């Protein structure tokens, strides 16, 4: 994979874009992780959104290998998956009615890593040895794009329903826009452009722009007000 890529050769500015985009994407979820840790809460963040983002990365990582895309994209999505697992673990920890033992938290984290790794390896085997090319494109390219879009919808719905952007970190938004914008340049510079890969980054950039507008201009001064009413608790963003 790396040997074939190096033989193709790249211009210097593409390498710069690759490095900058990788740094941004690898770091994009960690401001959200820190934001949650500081508050000891995931209020305002949709669990469904984070889980679906995590799932969407599983078929895409081996697809990058299959299509011999830029290695920077592989690094980006591995880091993104790792950070998604941390966020999943934060939901598992902070949503508990009673404090969870640290052993349970670590066990849950390790379990997600093992499942994610096994999913990537299994799908790569299917891509190479079982699936026809058209099915590879659907599973590895189209499905992640659709899942990513579906994952964004409840997060946007949470912001509109609660009339606040409190739960979503600006760091996540800015780094995602910057990193995925640069990644979009990378995938369009490939010798053979894969429309399904391009569509994934278009989906991400479009939804993050929408969330930025909602958080910055529409619901700028609004803050989530906690409620003790049982019905209101069921409607909290973490239950989406």
């Amino acid at each position: 994979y790396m040997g074939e890529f190096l033989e193709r050769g790249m211009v210097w500015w593409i390498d710069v874009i690759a490095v900058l985009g990788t740094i941004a994407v690898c770091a994009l979820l960690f401001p959200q992780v820190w934001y949650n840790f500081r508050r000891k809460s995931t209020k305002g963040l949709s669990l469904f959104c984070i889980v679906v983002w995590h799932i969407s990365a599983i078929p895409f990582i081996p697809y990058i290998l299959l299509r011999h895309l830029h290695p920077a994209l592989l690094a980006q999505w591995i880091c993104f998956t790792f950070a998604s697992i941390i966020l999943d673990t934060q939901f598992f920890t902070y949503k508990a009615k009673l404090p969870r033992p640290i052993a349970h938290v670590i066990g849950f984290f390790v379990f997600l890593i093992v499942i994610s790794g096994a999913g990537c390896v299994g799908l790569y085997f299917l891509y190479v040895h079982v699936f026809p090319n058209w099915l590879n494109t659907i599973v590895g390219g189209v499905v992640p794009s659709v899942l990513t879009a579906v994952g964004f919808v409840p997060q946007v719905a949470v912001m509109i329903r609660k009339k606040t952007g409190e739960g979503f970190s600006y760091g996540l938004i800015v780094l995602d826009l910057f990193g995925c914008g640069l990644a979009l340049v990378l995938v369009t510079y490939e010798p053979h452009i894969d429309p399904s890969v391009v569509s994934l980054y278009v989906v991400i950039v479009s939804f993050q722009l929408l969330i930025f507008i909602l958080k910055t201009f529409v619901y700028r001064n609004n803050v989530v007000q906690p409620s003790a009413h049982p019905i209101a608790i069921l409607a909290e963003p973490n239950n989406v």
Side-chain angles (χ1 to χ4, degrees):
Y1 168 59
M2 286 298 297
E4 290 184 17
F5 175 79
L6 291 174
E7 287 177 4
R8 283 161 44 186
M10 298 293 278
V11 296
W12 68 269
W13 62 270
I14 285 294
D15 292 330
V16 172
I17 286 176
V19 171
L20 293 177
T22 299
I23 292 172
V25 173
C26 287
L28 72 89
L29 285 183
F30 288 100
Q32 186 68 50
V33 169
W34 174 250
Y35 185 52
N36 294 343
F37 176 76
R38 191 179 60 189
R39 298 182 302 155
K40 297 296 186 292
S41 171
T42 53
K43 185 182 292 294
L45 193 64
S46 167
L47 173 59
F48 181 85
C49 175
I50 298 303
V51 170
V52 171
W53 282 357
H54 179 188
I55 293 173
S56 69
I58 305 304
F60 191 62
I61 289 174
Y63 190 70
I64 292 172
L65 286 169
L66 180 73
R67 297 302 188 210
H68 294 185
L69 300 179
H70 199 292
L73 300 178
L74 181 63
Q76 291 171 16
W77 282 88
I78 290 175
C79 289
F80 176 83
T81 303
F82 181 76
S84 297
I85 291 172
I86 296 177
L87 285 175
D88 292 338
T89 305
Q90 287 186 321
F91 273 102
F92 175 76
T93 305
Y94 299 144
K95 285 283 291 176
K97 294 181 180 179
L98 298 174
R100 295 189 187 276
I102 187 64
H104 291 184
V105 175
I106 294 174
F108 182 76
F109 177 76
V110 172
F111 171 75
L112 290 181
I113 289 179
V114 171
I115 291 297
S116 299
C120 289
V121 172
L123 281 169
Y124 184 74
F125 176 84
L126 292 174
Y127 291 162
V128 174
H129 299 289
V130 179
F131 291 169
N133 187 59
W134 64 268
L135 189 55
N136 286 339
T137 301
I138 291 175
V139 175
V142 176
V143 168
S145 299
V146 173
L147 285 177
T148 301
V150 169
F152 269 111
V153 170
Q155 181 61 56
V156 173
V158 164
M159 298 176 77
I160 294 174
R161 188 177 73 244
K162 289 293 182 180
K163 292 182 172 55
T164 179
E166 180 190 19
F168 220 69
S169 162
Y170 266 123
L172 190 161
I173 297 171
V174 173
L175 288 171
D176 207 8
L177 284 172
F178 181 70
C180 289
L182 294 180
L184 191 55
V185 175
L186 281 183
V187 297
T188 53
Y189 192 79
E190 289 289 330
H192 304 287
I193 297 176
D194 189 329
S196 65
V197 175
V198 174
S199 67
L200 174 59
Y201 288 102
V202 170
V203 165
I204 295 172
V205 170
S206 299
F207 272 101
Q208 286 291 21
L209 280 173
L210 174 60
I211 288 174
F212 177 80
I213 292 170
L214 290 174
K215 182 177 176 69
T216 305
F217 302 107
V218 180
Y219 304 128
R220 181 176 181 179
N221 298 318
N222 295 6
V223 178
V224 172
Q225 298 298 328
S227 173
H229 194 283
I231 301 301
I233 291 174
L234 291 176
E236 286 292 286
N238 294 338
N239 293 314
V240 175

